[in-house]
Amino acid sequence: MSAPTRDEASVVGKLSTLDRFLPVWILAAMAVGLLAGRLVPGLGEALGAVAVDGVSLPIALGLLIMMYPVLAKVRYDRLDTVTGDRRLLVSSLVANWLLGPALMFALAWLLLPDLPEYRTGLIVVGLARCIAMVIIWNDLACGDREAAAVLVALNSVFQVIAFGALGWFYLSVLPGWLGLPTTGLDVSPWAIVRSVLIFLGVPLLAGYLTRRLGERAKGRDWYEAKVLPGIGPFALYGLLFTIVVLFALQGDAITSQPLDVVRIALPLLLYFAVMWAGSYALGRAVGLGYERTTTLAFTAAGNNFELAIAVAIATWGATSGQALAGVVGPLIEVPVLVGLVYVSLWLRRRLFPATDPALEETRRG
């Protein structure tokens, strides 16, 4: 990677301290969570005592706080420009609902053939397409906010329709065809609907109403100049809080079963890298610009860990290997996708120079 130009450095210099040192804060949040979960007796049980749809209440609150500011930034009157982009919509459906589950199934069986509980948990993670944290990664990578809102809504609809059927296929039907052991998945469609309504519906409605009422009161310019800067930082505050709680909940399990965590982490690392790179290449191949290529890549690479954890707990229990695999998912996803945010911004300078503000400024100068 080449050194940044003076103009690029000036752009970075305009970022807030929180944005500029995000990897540092995330690593610190991980460390704080791990230490707290390991050293504070009963902390994990206390954090997990109250749950929303199978997910710890503090995590649920962190996710809602994290998503609300980004969804308040979406210009909802521009969504029709996304729904008319068939290349983007078809590419997203193919990546999320054909390639993603199939890739996770293959990696889980190849790398965890002797660990059926973890293998099943990872397959469930692969079936749960992202509707929450991807909003943050897309925004940090300067993706298309309106496209992200449409794609997560599309994933939500397909999640309600297809999750149960795909679980039956990948855990019972396909292994049987291949002569492999089969597993059942008993999940209520209403549980999936609840997950969608809580983790997407609530912040989406709040974000829409905030923009609608703000613009109606004083206009778009005022709303984007005064309101958004005030609520914007709470997205990253919510992200860091969620990370601390996630690691605190599983601090003891992670540190007491390090080899198991490594075994679970390897297929996850490969999954996130392959899904992101493959979807990015797909976006380029079908002629999408930087913003929508980035949005496609992150929405395909991320997973709905809230739903995966809830399903694993409801089906196999909170102390099961399937539940541990579900929890390790976001612990690997967070640092990997943060790294891919920076990869995406680097690729913007190389593959989409017309969209890079630093290089535009260089050319004008």
Side-chain angles (χ1 to χ4, degrees), residues 280-299:
Y280 202 97
L282 177 60
R284 287 278 292 169
V286 300
L288 299 177
Y290 170 78
E291 290 81 5
R292 292 190 177 179
T293 294
T294 298
T295 299
L296 175 64
F298 280 101
T299 52

Side-chain angles (χ1 to χ4, degrees), residues 48 73 86 105 134 136 141 160-161 166 172 202 248 309 334 347 356 364:
K73 295 178 182 178
R86 292 185 178 180
F105 175 86
V134 67
I136 289 289
V160 172
I161 296 171
L166 286 174
S172 298
V202 171
I309 292 171
V334 168
L347 287 174
D356 185 64
R364 285 197 297 269

Side-chain angles (χ1 to χ4, degrees), residues 79-277:
L79 294 184
D80 59 336
T81 65
V82 180
T83 57
D85 190 341
R86 292 185 178 180
R87 295 173 303 170
L88 176 65
L89 298 183
V90 172
S91 297
S92 178
L93 289 175
V94 169
N96 276 286
W97 297 100
L98 293 179
L99 302 182
L103 176 62
M104 188 68 90
F105 175 86
L107 290 172
W109 273 102
L110 286 172
L111 299 175
L112 301 174
D114 57 328
L115 297 171
E117 289 190 359
Y118 298 154
R119 183 178 66 235
T120 299
L122 287 184
I123 292 172
V124 172
V125 169
L127 299 176
R129 311 313 301 164
C130 196
I131 65 169
M133 202 172 281
V134 67
I135 297 284
I136 289 289
W137 312 135
N138 178 73
D139 209 50
L140 290 172
C142 301
D144 187 320
R145 289 188 188 122
E146 288 69 36
V150 169
L151 294 187
V152 296
L154 188 65
N155 274 350
S156 299
V157 172
F158 270 79
Q159 206 148 91
V160 172
I161 296 171
F163 185 89
L166 286 174
W168 169 72
F169 177 75
Y170 279 106
L171 294 175
S172 298
V173 176
L174 185 56
W177 288 351
L178 299 175
L180 302 170
T182 61
T183 305
L185 178 64
D186 182 18
V187 56
S188 165
W190 176 236
I192 301 172
V193 173
R194 285 201 312 269
S195 175
V196 170
L197 289 176
I198 292 170
F199 296 112
L200 177 62
V202 171
L204 181 61
L205 179 62
Y208 172 78
L209 290 177
T210 301
R211 177 174 279 278
R212 182 72 181 271
L213 296 175
E215 289 187 358
R216 181 180 293 177
K218 294 193 175 182
R220 172 164 292 182
D221 290 343
W222 173 86
Y223 176 79
E224 295 189 346
K226 299 296 184 181
V227 176
L228 292 184
I231 64 176
F234 285 92
L236 294 182
Y237 298 153
L239 172 64
L240 295 175
F241 174 78
T242 303
I243 291 170
V244 170
V245 177
L246 272 172
F247 276 75
L249 275 168
Q250 294 295 323
D252 187 62
I254 292 168
T255 54
S256 63
Q257 304 177 65
L259 294 180
D260 286 355
V261 171
V262 171
R263 290 287 305 273
I264 297 169
L266 180 57
L268 284 167
L269 284 169
L270 292 173
Y271 172 83
F272 294 132
V274 172
M275 281 300 295
W276 190 91

Side-chain angles (χ1 to χ4, degrees), residues 19-63:
D19 290 329
R20 200 181 314 163
F21 297 103
L22 180 62
V24 175
W25 310 137
I26 286 178
L27 290 173
M30 292 177 177
V32 169
L34 276 175
L35 289 173
R38 184 71 178 178
L39 300 178
V40 180
L43 179 61
E45 290 79 2
L47 290 173
V50 181
V52 175
D53 199 35
V55 178
S56 165
L57 179 59
I59 291 178
L61 291 175
L63 289 168

